[in-house]
């Protein structure tokens, strides 16, 4: 039977602000630690001081360099730390191993897309475990609203990948592999799709352009959506969102193959009705030379959760379309 490995993630106030501004949840960090072999992960604040009495096998600190210097003093006296170079900005993490205990000091900066460097150190260079990612809340490891994970392959829930990839990483990788660039036309998600994609280093290779067409007039002016469609079906409708996606693909002159996601919905808290309640979101994905795919979503949560879930489901729909693409 595999021994239990307890990991403790200790984040300072400054570190928590850094994660929030980067759009990275502690759920993802916890999942990646389990990806590297931890069987249980707890999360606490550096300022609370509770970590000083922790019995965890692994402690990971994410804080400013000044805060980490204070934390590091007792470890440096016992054993020298192994530096791990991280970029954006360039800085050095320190990894300490003493007896069966590990301590990792991670300075504030980008840690999500360079995670393999510090996860490998914690895992002693051993291969990482499979980590199944789903655009669903149903799996046991909760990542963020609308996404969850499991170390075991789910029997019923379809998974996006088993490599612990965030959905934006998978989308960018898939677009690069297929030689397709992406455009987005966003109403209710207000630029959230393209913003999420552009978190990924190297996204400029495949992200082409984006429109936030919040008003009906913008849909007409920027994408040639027929005003009669809006009048007849409403802005939150299959017909209009398909027209938005098709307009995005057709805009401008380019030899590059494009795929375009369009969204239009009611994020709330007001604006809904019996026919189209709050949480109704239409998504369409158009691609050069192929028929346009669309889906109506009925999402739950506060305004920001509906928007976030719409982003995830839009990217999922696009991935499914790319998987079927012959390009």
């Amino acid at each position: 039977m595999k021994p239990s490995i307890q990991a403790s993630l200790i984040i300072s106030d400054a570190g928590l602000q850094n994660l929030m501004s980067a759009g990275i949840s502690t759920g993802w960090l916890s999942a990646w630690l389990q990806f590297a072999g931890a069987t249980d992960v707890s999360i606490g604040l550096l300022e609370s001081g509770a970590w000083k009495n922790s019995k965890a096998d692994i402690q990971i600190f994410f804080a400013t360099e000044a805060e980490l210097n204070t934390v590091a003093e007792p470890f440096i006296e016992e054993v020298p730390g192994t530096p791990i170079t991280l970029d954006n900005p360039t800085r050095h993490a320190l990894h300490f191993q003493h007896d069966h205990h590990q301590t990792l000091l991670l300075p504030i900066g980008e840690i999500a897309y360079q995670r393999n460097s510090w996860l490998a150190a914690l895992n002693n260079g051993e291969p990482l475990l499979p980590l199944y990612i789903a655009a669903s809340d149903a799996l046991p490891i909760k990542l963020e609203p609308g996404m969850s994970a499991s170390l075991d392959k789910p029997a019923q829930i379809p998974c996006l990948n088993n490599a612990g990839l965030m959905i934006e990483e998978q989308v960018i990788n898939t677009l690069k592999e297929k030689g397709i660039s992406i455009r987005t036309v966003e109403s209710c998600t207000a630029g959230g799709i393209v913003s999420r994609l552009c978190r990924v280093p190297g996204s400029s290779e495949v992200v082409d352009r984006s429109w936030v067409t919040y008003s009906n007039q913008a849909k007409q002016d920027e994408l040639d959506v027929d005003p009669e469609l809006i009048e007849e079906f409403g802005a939150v409708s299959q017909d209009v969102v398909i027209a938005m996606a098709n307009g995005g693909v057709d805009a401008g002159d380019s030899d590059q193959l494009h795929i375009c996601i369009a969204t239009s919905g009611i994020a709330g808290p007001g604006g809904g009705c019996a026919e189209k309640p709050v949480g109704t979101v239409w998504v369409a994905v158009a691609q050069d030379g192929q028929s346009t795919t669309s889906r109506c979503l009925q999402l739950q949560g506060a305004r920001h959760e509906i928007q976030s879930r719409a982003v995830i489901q839009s990217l999922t729909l696009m991935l499914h379309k790319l998987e079927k693409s012959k390009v």
Side-chain angles (χ1 to χ4, degrees):
M1 186 175 182
K2 184 178 177 181
S4 175
I5 300 175
Q6 307 295 315
S8 180
L9 179 62
I10 303 107
I11 307 172
S12 72
D13 283 337
L16 191 58
Q17 290 176 30
N18 177 273
L19 291 177
M20 292 174 63
S21 64
I24 306 299
S25 71
T26 54
W28 277 102
L29 293 179
S30 175
W32 291 328
L33 290 173
Q34 292 178 66
F35 192 32
T39 52
D40 183 65
V41 180
S42 63
I43 300 172
L45 277 174
L46 177 70
E47 288 80 3
S48 74
W51 54 271
K52 296 177 182 178
N53 300 315
S54 172
K55 303 298 183 182
D57 304 289
I58 301 172
Q59 286 185 307
I60 302 96
F61 294 84
F62 186 60
T64 66
E65 291 189 6
E67 291 169 328
L68 293 179
N69 286 339
T70 301
V71 172
E73 289 177 2
F75 301 115
I76 293 174
E77 292 174 2
E78 293 182 21
V79 59
T82 302
I84 303 169
T85 301
L86 300 173
D87 296 321
N88 195 26
T90 300
R91 64 212 192 280
H92 295 290
L94 278 178
H95 180 223
F96 299 90
Q97 287 185 295
H98 35 100
D99 297 328
H100 298 292
H101 184 84
Q102 296 187 70
T103 302
L104 178 64
L105 307 182
L106 285 171
I108 285 178
E110 199 284 295
I111 61 168
Y113 304 110
Q114 297 172 34
R115 60 187 179 271
N116 288 340
S117 297
W118 53 270
L119 286 175
L122 292 174
N123 203 36
N124 295 313
E126 295 294 321
L128 298 174
L129 299 171
L131 181 64
Y132 296 90
I133 305 297
S136 163
D137 294 304
L139 298 186
I141 304 173
K142 307 306 179 186
L143 304 173
E144 59 180 287
M147 296 203 80
S148 57
S150 174
L151 294 174
D152 300 312
K153 186 175 182 179
Q156 304 296 328
I157 306 298
C159 289
L160 297 173
N161 66 78
N162 66 354
L165 293 176
M166 303 178 80
I167 193 168
E168 59 266 32
E169 294 175 296
Q170 186 172 347
V171 167
I172 294 298
N173 290 347
T174 303
L175 290 169
K176 288 180 179 179
E177 289 169 5
K178 291 183 172 288
I180 299 173
S181 66
I182 185 170
R183 297 172 171 182
T184 72
V185 180
E186 305 184 56
S187 185
C188 65
T189 49
I193 298 173
V194 73
S195 176
R196 183 152 186 160
L197 292 176
C198 290
R199 294 178 190 171
V200 183
S203 57
S204 59
E205 295 179 32
V206 291
V207 176
D208 179 49
R209 67 190 73 179
S210 180
W211 296 264
V212 176
T213 54
Y214 223 72
S215 70
N216 291 342
Q217 191 63 51
K219 295 174 178 62
Q220 299 168 41
D221 294 345
E222 300 294 328
L223 301 155
D224 294 325
V225 175
D226 189 338
E228 293 185 2
L229 284 179
I230 299 175
E231 179 67 27
E232 182 176 357
F233 300 105
V236 181
S237 65
Q238 182 180 35
D239 296 80
V240 169
V241 82
I242 286 175
M244 291 165 65
N246 290 338
V249 163
D250 295 339
D253 297 321
S254 175
D255 295 329
Q256 176 76 39
L257 291 174
H258 298 299
I259 195 166
C260 181
I261 300 175
T263 61
S264 185
I266 305 166
C273 61
E275 182 183 356
K276 298 177 183 179
V278 169
T280 302
V281 178
W282 273 100
V283 180
V285 181
Q287 188 174 353
D288 288 319
Q290 299 191 27
S291 60
T292 301
T293 302
S294 62
R295 179 180 297 172
C296 184
L297 308 173
Q298 297 294 337
L299 304 173
Q300 301 295 319
R303 180 179 178 85
H304 67 277
E305 291 174 314
I306 288 171
Q307 289 173 320
S308 179
R309 291 176 189 274
V311 168
I312 291 166
Q313 290 300 319
S314 298
L315 292 173
T316 301
L317 182 63
M318 193 201 72
L319 280 172
H320 290 162
K321 187 172 183 67
L322 286 173
E323 288 171 1
K324 297 176 183 178
S325 172
K326 296 180 180 180
V327 176

